[in-house]
Amino acid sequence: GQNIDQPTEMTATEGAIVQINCTYQTSGFNGLFWYQQHAGEAPTFLSYNVLDGLEEKGRFSSFLSRSKGYSYLLLKELQMKDSASYLCAALSNTGFQKLVFGTGTRLLVSP
Amino acid sequence: DGGITQSPKYLFRKEGQNVTLSCEQNLNHDAMYWYRQDPGQGLRLIYYSQIVNDFQKGDIAEGYSVSREKKESFPLTVTSAQKNPTAFYLCASSIDSSDQPQHFGDGTRLSIL
């Protein structure tokens, strides 16, 4: 089966660090994507992990553990504009490379 | 600038009507996708196309139809057979259907009058 779990909502303060977790059970797993989506807008690509470990891109980092079926997105030095939904999506290769999305984590950054 | 354009941004449909959502990309991508996004649910795949003149059903294709006559265009028709069409519809494209990231359009919000 295909299942992606992530928290529904999180809150944090400007300047802080927040970690958004994602667990997955996906057949034919072939990598993990994170997207950012502001309300009513297009999701924008943040990161892709296919190997275990941490990938760092500026204030955003993403981690993957394939053996544990676990990923997280780490946001540092939070800014107000980081208030958005963060979508975890597993790439599933079952004859076709398909993205299986979680429900998204809505992050609210307060002053 | 290269990108994906969806139109219209808002669309209203009467009961029993078919409506067509437009999706155009100038990224020269081979693969294109249609998703539906509902509150409290993840994006769900409606149809996808790996190459021009070819398309396949996704997880929730019932009540929808697509065409891929040109590489840059992948319109979605929501037919009267779709009983719960109110949703946010997102079109995406990627270089190919491998592990390349998908790039999304700004979406069309469809409502029933």
Side-chain angles (χ1 to χ4, degrees):
Chain A
Q2 317 275 37
N3 192 45
I4 312 286
D5 282 317
Q6 52 181 132
T8 303
E9 197 168 285
M10 299 182 71
T11 57
T13 306
E14 201 173 9
I17 299 173
V18 71
Q19 178 175 311
I20 302 174
N21 296 324
C22 172
T23 58
Y24 63 87
Q25 289 177 304
T26 311
S27 53
F29 178 77
N30 206 22
L32 198 292
F33 286 85
W34 283 96
Y35 283 85
Q36 180 192 59
Q37 185 181 25
H38 287 95
E41 296 183 10
T44 55
F45 168 72
L46 290 177
S47 68
Y48 172 57
N49 295 66
V50 63
L51 300 176
D52 284 0
L54 188 68
E55 297 271 349
E56 297 187 70
K57 270 189 192 180
R59 294 190 299 115
F60 292 7
S61 303
S62 56
F63 171 84
L64 177 67
S65 168
R66 294 178 72 121
S67 61
K68 294 182 180 178
Y70 168 68
S71 173
Y72 67 72
L73 181 70
L74 192 71
L75 292 75
K76 303 175 188 174
E77 301 168 19
L78 280 172
Q79 302 175 9
M80 299 294 288
K81 67 178 182 179
D82 297 330
S83 292
S85 287
Y86 292 85
L87 314 181
C88 171
L91 190 62
S92 170
N93 187 358
T94 52
F96 160 69
Q97 299 258 34
K98 185 176 97 168
L99 278 181
V100 181
F101 283 87
T103 55
T105 298
R106 191 164 59 200
L107 174 67
L108 179 61
V109 180
S110 58
Chain B
D1 275 2
I4 302 174
T5 302
Q6 289 188 242
S7 61
K9 193 166 178 67
Y10 299 94
L11 188 59
F12 299 91
R13 192 191 91 170
K14 291 182 181 178
E15 297 272 359
Q17 264 186 348
N18 293 354
V19 289
T20 298
L21 284 59
S22 170
C23 178
E24 303 279 329
Q25 54 98 359
N26 59 5
L27 300 167
N28 201 32
H29 286 175
D30 280 323
M32 296 188 75
Y33 315 81
W34 274 105
Y35 293 92
R36 172 181 170 137
Q37 189 173 35
D38 294 280
Q41 297 193 46
L43 274 69
R44 292 182 289 167
L45 183 65
I46 304 172
Y47 267 97
Y48 63 93
S49 169
Q50 297 182 74
I51 200 162
V52 66
N53 291 322
D54 179 67
F55 53 83
Q56 305 293 333
K57 292 181 180 179
D59 297 320
I60 54 165
E62 186 174 347
Y64 300 97
S65 66
V66 294
S67 62
R68 186 85 188 277
E69 296 174 2
K70 297 187 294 183
K71 186 175 185 178
E72 58 270 22
S73 180
F74 192 41
L76 173 75
T77 297
V78 184
T79 74
S80 56
Q82 172 47 242
K83 296 308 175 191
N84 186 21
T86 297
F88 189 48
Y89 290 88
L90 286 160
C91 177
S93 71
S94 58
I95 292 173
D96 53 37
S97 54
S98 66
D99 58 355
Q100 297 299 313
Q102 294 180 19
H103 301 270
F104 288 82
D106 284 338
T108 293
R109 190 166 297 280
L110 175 64
S111 301
I112 300 304
L113 292 176

